[in-house]
Each structure stands twice: as structure tokens, then as C-alpha cells.
Amino acid sequence: MPVKDLNYVAGVRCTMGSATLADHVPAVDDHVVRRLREAGTILLGKTNTPEFGLPPHTENDIAPPARTPWDLGRSAGGSSGGAAAAVAAGLAPLAHASDGGGSIRIPASACGLFGIKPSRGRVSSGPVLHDVTGLATSGPLARTVADAAALLDVFAGTEPGDPYTAPSLPPGETFAAAARRAPGRLRVAVFTRPPVPGVEAHPECVRAAEETAGLLRELGHTVEEVALPDDPALGEAFTRVWEIVAAIRPVPEGREELLTPFTRLLRERGGRVGGAEFATAMYRLRAVGQLIADVLQAPGAGYDVLLSPTLATPPLPVGGLRDDADPAAEFAALLPFTPFTPLCNATGQPAVSVPSHWTEEGLPIGVMLAGRYGAETTLISLSAQLEEARPWAGRHPGMW
């Protein structure tokens, strides 16, 4: 299986999608890579990512763009677009990926795959580039729920120095086992309107969520429609933190001019964010996490799962988001494309994208399931139930 090119593999070039690191060869393995070695996997290579994994497409200055195998004129999404394209095209059985604002779930939706963004602290981000914001995590991309769950078992576990730790599984429990058992009757809240002012979801994305909600009712679950309030404060807080993430990426001295306009813009903005402003943004993200946790676990009225579209649009054309001439416009276009996914990075709760729908043109559309913090097993069992009811692993793009 391949490793996303944001992560270190000792002795293997790691560009992080940036021309500034074209010759960078790390001397150490990231913890997830060490776990892959210990599990006996064979490294096929590194998969493409946008510069530092910042935008939700996979178009950089050092490699061709990642395209969804279902339509080579369209983007595989990002930032794990290379990983998703490799699995969807049959180049790899499954892949390592990572997600800081939707970067596993976005390409899973665009490429017709199942992807898991684990709970904050479930997978170590060390030992070199610990994610101090708590937004990002490694996770699996696969064609089946069982494969993704088995790979999460490999990734999962804390390491010395980790700033976050997720609740441990009960003794003897595994994520793979969760994929082999029924989830029980669950309470599911469905929302199809993006919690972002002025953003509307494409009818195909809404239809995918509504059809999945209907299937869950047929399977015996309690499904209720809800509406999340429009809250511009969440987007503003996430933006401040994302700008800081861009500003602290390791760029060799004297090579800033090789950065893409989008990265330069974010780094410039991040450099102007003061300590108090950054702390305030982090407090807002944590407050959202508390709010969602309270809603999910409210006595007698809580929910086990939140269901929504993964994306607000079907897969976009290659180049549909990247705008070197106006990087500010590129940044402004990101949230209307992916208004649903960043919420779970802010809260730290687990989320998956299920390939439940295809358009008449044959484009895949994903549906997102989010669970309580630490409750990946619930999402895995429910996803496996959906997969059994409406199998998707046998669908392949024409290039197969």
C-alpha cells in the first residue's frame, strides 16, 4: 500500500506536494509508517497531495493533478487525492491518507470509496510534525468497510509525546470486529443544509443523503431531520487556525518564491495572526466541540450518528478550484465546495464517507456519517450494514 506524501518514510523523498521540498529525504519514519512496517505491509510508493495538504484538491507544481478514475476530466479531490485515485483505479488495495478539514472524506466522495477520519488522538501524528491544533489525523481509504477498519487497527494507538489521546477500545475489541457485527438500533439526525450562510448543496448531494436516510429507516433505525444553525464564527475560527497551520509549515530558507500563490497567501495571513487571536479561535473550535458533544449525548434526546452529504457538489473539473491568478478567490471557493467536513475536524469526533450514490453520468457522491467522540466502532458497524444492504465494492470505473 502507498503512503501519502505528507508523511515521512525514512530514506524516501517527501515533498509534501511542494517544489520547495523537491529534494527532501527524511531520516525517520512517522509513527504511522512504523506501524505499517510492523504490520508487514509493503510500501508501493508515495501518493500525491496539494502543497502541504492545504486545499481540497490535488494540484501542485511538482506532479500532474490527481483525477477521479470515474471521469478523468474531474478532480479526485484532496488533500488525499493521490491516495484515493490509486485505490479507485485499482493501483492499490487500500491506502494511507490524512484529514485536516475533510482530506480523507472529500476524495472518498469524489472517487467512490469508503474513508475514515478517526477521533482526535486515535492515531499519532508524531514524532516530527505533531499537529498542535488537533485538526488533522491519519486514517484509511479503501473500497470496503472491512478493509478500512482493519487498516485503522494498524494505525491506532498513542505514542510517547502525543498531545491528544482518544478513548481506548474495550479489551479484546478491534475495529475489524466492528465491521462484522450489527450496529443495533440507532438514533440518526439528518441535515442536508450546509451550516454555512449562503451555501446550498447540489441536488444530487441532497438526494444521496436523503436516500441513505430512507435506507436507514428501512433497516430499523430512528431517523430525524434536524437543521444546524448558520454560524459564521465557526468558519472564521477555522480560517484563522488554518492560516496558522500554513504559516508553520517547514519551508527551506530562500525557497519561498517556489510556493504556490495559494500557500503564500495563507502564510502571509497566518503571519499576521497574533497569539491572542489564535487562542480565541482555538477556544471557539473547542466550544463547538462541546456543543456538538452535548447535542449527541443529551439525556433522552441525543443522537448516535449525524448524517449529511459529504460534499456540497459532485466532483469538480480539474482546475475548478485552483486559481493562481487570484488565490483569495480560490480560498473563498473552498467552503462552498466542502461546507460539511470541517465541522468534525473542529470537534475531533470521528466521521466516515460512504459511497452510497452515483449520478446518472456515473459520478460518485458520498454521504458523511459522524459519531460521538471515540465511537468509530458505531460508524464502522453502521457503514458495514449499509454496504451489505446496498453493496458498492463491485462497482469499478471504466478504466478497470
Side-chain angles (χ1 to χ4, degrees):
M1 58 170 290
V3 170
K4 185 177 176 180
D5 202 28
L6 292 183
N7 285 83
Y8 287 2
V9 177
V12 177
R13 187 174 72 139
C14 181
T15 70
M16 296 191 178
S18 177
T20 68
L21 297 173
D23 302 317
H24 174 229
V25 179
V28 299
D29 284 339
D30 276 342
H31 288 147
V32 289
V33 173
R34 193 201 74 222
R35 287 174 177 267
L36 285 171
R37 294 190 193 277
E38 292 173 349
T41 62
I42 299 168
L43 176 66
L44 295 177
K46 304 295 289 293
T47 55
N48 200 15
T49 182
E51 192 162 60
F52 302 126
L54 295 171
H57 56 70
T58 304
E59 300 170 31
N60 57 39
D61 290 341
I62 60 170
R67 306 167 184 270
T68 175
W70 297 90
D71 181 345
L72 296 182
R74 294 179 183 262
S75 170
S79 64
S80 304
V87 176
L91 302 177
L94 65 174
H96 163 269
S98 60
D99 190 316
S103 292
I104 290 173
R105 293 158 288 157
I106 294 166
S109 180
C111 294
L113 301 175
F114 179 71
I116 304 174
K117 184 206 83 72
S119 297
R120 178 178 294 138
R122 179 69 69 197
V123 181
S124 174
S125 61
V128 179
L129 297 176
H130 284 290
D131 175 33
V132 296
T133 69
L135 295 180
T137 177
S138 288
L141 275 168
R143 286 191 287 274
T144 70
V145 175
D147 282 354
L151 185 53
L152 183 57
D153 279 320
V154 172
F155 289 155
T158 57
E159 299 280 353
D162 285 351
Y164 307 100
T165 58
S168 299
L169 296 181
E173 172 73 299
T174 65
F175 297 112
R180 297 191 294 270
R181 65 168 180 260
R185 186 175 181 180
L186 301 175
R187 285 176 55 84
V188 181
V190 180
F191 63 100
T192 58
R193 185 171 62 84
V196 178
V199 176
E200 297 289 336
H202 190 280
E204 289 282 7
C205 300
V206 173
R207 183 181 308 154
E210 291 176 343
E211 288 178 353
T212 303
L215 177 56
L216 289 174
R217 289 189 180 97
E218 293 175 14
L219 293 170
H221 302 287
T222 299
V223 180
E224 299 176 3
E225 295 184 4
V226 300
L228 295 187
D230 292 343
D231 186 4
L234 173 60
E236 292 167 3
F238 195 94
T239 296
R240 294 293 86 73
V241 175
W242 206 242
E243 290 166 349
I244 288 289
V245 169
I248 63 176
R249 292 300 88 188
V251 176
E253 186 175 354
R255 309 202 79 183
E256 289 272 346
E257 72 279 359
L258 297 178
L259 293 170
T260 64
F262 180 80
T263 301
R264 286 202 301 272
L265 172 70
L266 289 193
R267 287 171 66 84
E268 290 167 3
R269 290 180 176 180
R272 296 194 297 267
V273 176
E277 186 180 4
F278 176 55
T280 299
M282 289 298 301
Y283 275 121
R284 286 178 177 168
L285 296 186
R286 295 297 178 262
V288 171
Q290 187 64 58
L291 174 64
I292 296 297
D294 292 344
V295 168
L296 290 175
Q297 303 186 96
Y303 296 100
D304 301 293
V305 174
L306 300 177
L307 186 156
S308 72
T310 302
L311 294 171
T313 75
L316 294 175
V318 172
L321 284 176
R322 183 170 177 177
D323 188 347
D324 287 353
D326 191 348
E330 177 178 344
F331 190 71
L334 302 188
L335 200 54
F337 171 59
T338 179
F340 298 101
T341 58
L343 176 65
C344 294
N345 300 91
T347 63
Q349 66 193 106
V352 303
S353 184
V354 179
S356 64
H357 182 77
W358 271 259
T359 68
E360 290 185 359
E361 297 78 20
L363 295 175
I365 303 287
V367 168
M368 188 170 73
L369 305 174
R372 295 171 179 170
Y373 179 64
E376 288 94 331
T377 52
T378 298
L379 298 180
I380 289 169
S381 294
L382 182 59
S383 299
Q385 186 182 52
L386 289 171
E387 183 181 20
E388 182 179 15
R390 302 275 175 85
W392 60 70
R395 297 189 66 148
H396 303 299
M399 62 168 50
W400 279 52

